[in-house]
Amino acid sequence: MNASDKSREAGVPRLLILGGTNEARDLAARLAARGGFAVSLSLAGRTRNPLPVEAPTRSGGFGGVEGLEAYLKTEGIDAVIDATHPFAATMSHNAAEAARRAGVPLIALLRPAWQRQPGDLWTQATDIAEAVEKLGPAPRRVLVALGRNEVRALEAAPQHAYLVRSIDPVDPPLALPQARYIEARGPFPEADEHALLKTHRIDALLSKNSGGEATYGKIKAARALGIEVIMVTRPPRPEVETVDSVDGVLDWLETLSRTS
Ligand code: NAP
């Protein structure tokens, strides 16, 4: 008998966390410390060396809504926590629909978006292509904090000099005359971001409104230095019950346990 069979036999509630974020890892750690649930975490498998998580982990897509619905049923999942990144909208929509079809309760754990503060020079864009366009025709020196799968959009504006930061290498490199690469994983403290912006004489920052503290340092540094931020706003999300903290998920699970 494997571990999942045992937990099913013992009547232990089975939770699926859709991850790829610090929040998902924090939640897994809190649930491991608490006990009483059989937790598994799902990753898309994009990052080559994901950070360790305190939960059995599966990796790779489910095969759309149908695939996830089948997975929830086969694995006997009792509740889903969508702790994916605010920009992972396809997965969030699929999860909401698959959970609805399978009759499994779902909650989203979503960090609040960053709000414009006095001194911020933000230009909003609805997607990455628009953000690149909004850099304008004149050459600029741009720090790009996007996923390596998103940076191809920069090739539409080859007049700028880019400093591209990503966790894994951008491979193949971009077809751009002026692009430098940094491989790094956050958190990125404000002081380091300040130094990076100054050293590379950056005059524009291209960022998604990811929210959270780990990558907010660049936004604060840009504010302090008077640097424009082209900020990509979040994509629409499914209308599901949503909390913004790990505690919120734990409260929801308590309520679910009492009512089921
Ligand atoms: P996405 O566009 O919403 O999802 C595309 C497809 O990837 C989904 O349809 C699903 O494939 C698969 N997928 C996504 N998240 C998954 C998960 N947790 N477990 C299993 N399959 C998953 O997602 P994305 O924006 O490419 O993000 C991929 C992953 O990176 C997510 O886990 C997200 O939390 C993390 N992440 C994303 C960003 C970002 O800016 N987008 C930033 C940091 C981390 P199937 O349809 O085959 O099931």
Side-chain angles (χ1 to χ4, degrees):
M1 189 187 288
N2 63 32
S4 73
D5 291 336
K6 273 187 200 155
S7 73
R8 233 173 283 184
E9 282 225 335
V12 177
R14 297 172 60 74
L15 308 181
L16 174 66
I17 305 175
L18 300 170
T21 56
N22 290 335
E23 288 82 352
R25 291 177 43 251
D26 292 348
L27 176 63
R30 289 281 295 281
L31 287 168
R34 180 194 179 282
F37 295 106
V39 180
S40 57
L41 181 104
S42 176
L43 298 175
R46 303 274 200 283
T47 307
R48 286 185 192 167
N49 295 303
L51 293 171
V53 184
E54 287 184 53
T57 303
R58 66 167 297 287
S59 183
F62 295 96
V65 174
E66 290 74 18
L68 180 54
E69 181 189 356
Y71 179 92
L72 297 178
K73 289 176 176 166
T74 316
E75 293 294 315
I77 299 296
D78 295 297
V80 178
I81 299 110
D82 174 8
T84 55
H85 190 270
F87 280 75
T90 304
M91 186 70 247
S92 291
H93 283 284
N94 287 359
E97 180 58 16
R100 191 190 64 75
R101 289 187 194 176
V104 174
L106 173 143
I107 194 163
L109 169 55
L110 185 72
R111 61 179 91 139
W114 296 319
Q115 301 299 324
R116 192 196 298 257
Q117 303 296 320
D120 278 334
L121 301 173
W122 287 11
T123 299
Q124 310 264 15
T126 52
D127 58 29
I128 290 165
E130 186 184 311
V132 172
E133 205 180 307
K134 286 193 167 175
L135 287 169
R140 303 179 77 174
R141 299 180 60 82
V142 189
L143 173 64
V144 181
L146 299 174
R148 71 191 161 113
N149 300 317
E150 299 161 325
V151 292
R152 301 271 150 216
L154 302 175
E155 293 175 350
Q159 70 273 31
H160 307 300
Y162 296 103
L163 181 62
V164 178
R165 181 166 66 193
S166 57
I167 295 178
D168 290 317
V170 177
D171 186 23
L174 300 171
L176 285 168
Q178 302 176 80
R180 296 179 67 180
Y181 302 92
I182 308 175
E183 283 152 42
R185 195 198 296 262
F188 302 109
E190 182 184 354
D192 294 359
E193 298 291 63
H194 199 281
L196 184 77
L197 294 174
K198 283 195 86 164
T199 305
H200 292 273
R201 295 178 288 113
I202 298 296
D203 59 30
L205 175 60
L206 212 161
S207 172
K208 292 181 291 192
N209 193 333
S210 297
E213 274 306 309
T215 58
Y216 192 50
K218 62 178 180 285
I219 307 298
K220 290 198 253 186
R223 182 187 305 145
L225 291 165
I227 291 173
E228 184 187 9
V229 179
I230 316 287
M231 185 68 85
V232 183
T233 53
R234 293 179 170 192
R237 295 185 51 86
E239 287 185 15
V240 296
E241 188 168 352
T242 301
V243 290
D244 66 4
S245 68
V246 167
D247 283 330
V249 177
L250 296 178
D251 290 347
W252 180 76
L253 288 169
E254 293 296 339
T255 311
L256 214 57
S257 313
R258 280 200 299 273
T259 53
S260 59

